[in-house]
């Protein structure tokens, strides 16, 4: 396991990882308040991040790659497939349709989610409801991948809902709770022991807490080219820490290994 490239697919001599996608969904809060983010609390039985609060997302399926290749033939295949997976997983996990070309009703979305659960792929759902997804509404934010076999090689995206009520509903299989909160509020809950967050989520929440609005996030993304990040164990004054390198735009870059949840 020697190769660990900054982007692109993992090579044959690199860790045997699982490509995945996650999306940070912004919505406007009350005037003067920081934007809220949609969080998903994982079921404790799940292999990855069991019981933790995370952003919606999951692994990239072959059907996601097929759809991405058809609708975005000239785009980077890894990023386009990740965007499709993020859109599909959000609908499946939360009942929220993002990056659709037209407004959709709650009834449509509920029916589409049911069909997605039955079909296991997004393409037939789009055809049935005459939807067209707009992957450009998802902006690449970060790319995290631990350096071990079986790790999730996850691309993080951000997207904005703006203002307006949205209906969400937990899937009650992989997840047990959905909630909206500012990044700062989620960190407060984690520090108080009300929820748990794994190390990558904590780092990303700390970065997201800097933004007063979605446009701030987009401006910050432009300042830091996205490349793979993985935690590094290091000694700090005799104490083991889990840390990340500088240069990725993160104000929070590590915590004692004894406190870090690695998923």
């Amino acid at each position: 396991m020697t190769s660990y490239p900054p982007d692109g697919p993992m090579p044959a001599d690199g860790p045997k990882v699982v490509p995945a996608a996650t999306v940070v969904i912004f919505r406007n809060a009350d005037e003067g308040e920081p934007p809220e983010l949609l969080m998903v609390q994982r079921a404790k039985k799940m292999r990855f991040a069991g019981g933790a609060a995370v952003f919606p997302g999951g692994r990239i399926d072959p059907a996601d790659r097929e759809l991405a290749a058809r609708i975005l033939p000239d785009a980077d295949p890894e990023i386009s497939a990740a965007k499709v997976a993020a859109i599909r997983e959000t609908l499946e996990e939360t009942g929220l349709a993002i990056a659709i070309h037209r407004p959709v009703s709650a009834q449509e979305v509920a029916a589409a989610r049911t069909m997605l659960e039955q079909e296991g792929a997004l393409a037939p759902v789009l055809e049935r409801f005459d939807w067209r997804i707009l992957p450009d509404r998802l902006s690449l934010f970060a790319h995290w991948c631990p350096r071990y076999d079986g790790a999730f090689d996850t691309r993080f995206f951000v997207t904005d809902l703006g203002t307006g009520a949205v209906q969400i509903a937990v899937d009650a299989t992989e997840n047990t709770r959905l909630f909206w909160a500012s990044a700062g509020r989620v960190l407060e809950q984690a520090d108080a022991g009300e929820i748990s967050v794994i190390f990558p989520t904590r780092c990303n929440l700390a970065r997201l807490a800097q933004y007063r609005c979605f446009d701030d996030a987009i401006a910050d993304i432009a300042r830091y080219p996205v490349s793979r990040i993985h935690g590094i164990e290091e000694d700090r004054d005799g104490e083991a820490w889990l840390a990340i390198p500088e240069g990725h735009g993160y104000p929070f870059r590590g915590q004692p290994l004894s406190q870090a949840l690695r998923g």
Side-chain angles (χ1 to χ4, degrees), residues 51-62:
V54 298
F55 305 110
R59 69 180 61 215
I60 299 171
D61 292 339

Side-chain angles (χ1 to χ4, degrees), residues 159-237:
T159 194
D160 186 28
L161 289 183
T163 301
V166 293
Q167 288 191 291
I168 53 175
V170 71
D171 66 7
T173 55
E174 295 183 359
N175 310 303
T176 59
R177 177 185 173 220
L178 302 172
F179 64 98
W180 292 95
S182 69
R185 177 59 183 147
V186 178
L187 289 172
E188 289 174 358
Q189 291 177 343
D191 290 341
E194 298 172 14
I195 59 173
S196 63
V197 294
I198 59 175
F199 181 70
T201 305
R202 178 176 284 276
C203 291
N204 281 307
L205 285 166
R207 186 177 176 189
L208 292 160
Q210 301 176 111
Y211 309 144
R212 296 168 300 174
C213 61
F214 183 73
D215 287 345
D216 281 356
I218 296 301
D220 187 59
I221 289 169
R223 287 192 287 268
Y224 298 96
V226 175
S227 60
R228 274 188 180 92
I229 303 172
H230 65 91
I232 302 170
E233 293 185 22
E234 58 183 40
D235 181 87
R236 296 188 183 181
D237 298 324

Side-chain angles (χ1 to χ4, degrees), residues 5-24:
D7 52 27
M10 194 68 73
D13 62 343
K16 309 306 179 189
V17 296
V18 180
T22 289
V23 59
V24 181

Side-chain angles (χ1 to χ4, degrees), residues 49-242:
V54 298
F55 305 110
R59 69 180 61 215
I60 299 171
D61 292 339
D64 298 323
R65 296 188 181 277
E66 294 170 8
L67 177 58
R70 188 165 76 246
I71 65 176
L72 297 168
D74 300 322
D76 180 307
E78 295 299 314
I79 294 177
S80 59
K83 288 183 176 182
V84 170
I87 294 168
R88 173 184 56 77
E89 285 280 354
T90 299
L91 177 60
E92 183 176 300
E93 289 187 333
T94 73
L96 182 61
I98 60 171
I100 306 299
H101 79 290
R102 61 172 175 82
V104 295
S105 68
Q107 292 77 15
E108 265 187 295
V109 175
R113 185 187 195 184
T114 298
M115 183 177 178
L116 177 60
E117 292 168 351
Q118 295 168 346
E119 296 285 342
L122 186 59
V125 176
L126 301 180
E127 182 176 358
R128 164 66 180 81
F129 292 93
D130 194 27
W131 288 357
R132 187 174 75 254
I133 57 173
L134 303 175
D136 285 348
R137 289 187 179 174
L138 275 63
S139 298
L140 185 62
F141 171 67
H143 188 175
W144 284 72
C145 183
R147 298 184 70 169
Y148 56 79
D149 289 347
F152 284 95
D153 184 18
T154 307
R155 287 174 171 84
F156 287 73
F157 299 93
V158 294
T159 194
D160 186 28
L161 289 183
T163 301
V166 293
Q167 288 191 291
I168 53 175
V170 71
D171 66 7
T173 55
E174 295 183 359
N175 310 303
T176 59
R177 177 185 173 220
L178 302 172
F179 64 98
W180 292 95
S182 69
R185 177 59 183 147
V186 178
L187 289 172
E188 289 174 358
Q189 291 177 343
D191 290 341
E194 298 172 14
I195 59 173
S196 63
V197 294
I198 59 175
F199 181 70
T201 305
R202 178 176 284 276
C203 291
N204 281 307
L205 285 166
R207 186 177 176 189
L208 292 160
Q210 301 176 111
Y211 309 144
R212 296 168 300 174
C213 61
F214 183 73
D215 287 345
D216 281 356
I218 296 301
D220 187 59
I221 289 169
R223 287 192 287 268
Y224 298 96
V226 175
S227 60
R228 274 188 180 92
I229 303 172
H230 65 91
I232 302 170
E233 293 185 22
E234 58 183 40
D235 181 87
R236 296 188 183 181
D237 298 324
E239 185 177 22
W241 277 59
L242 183 63

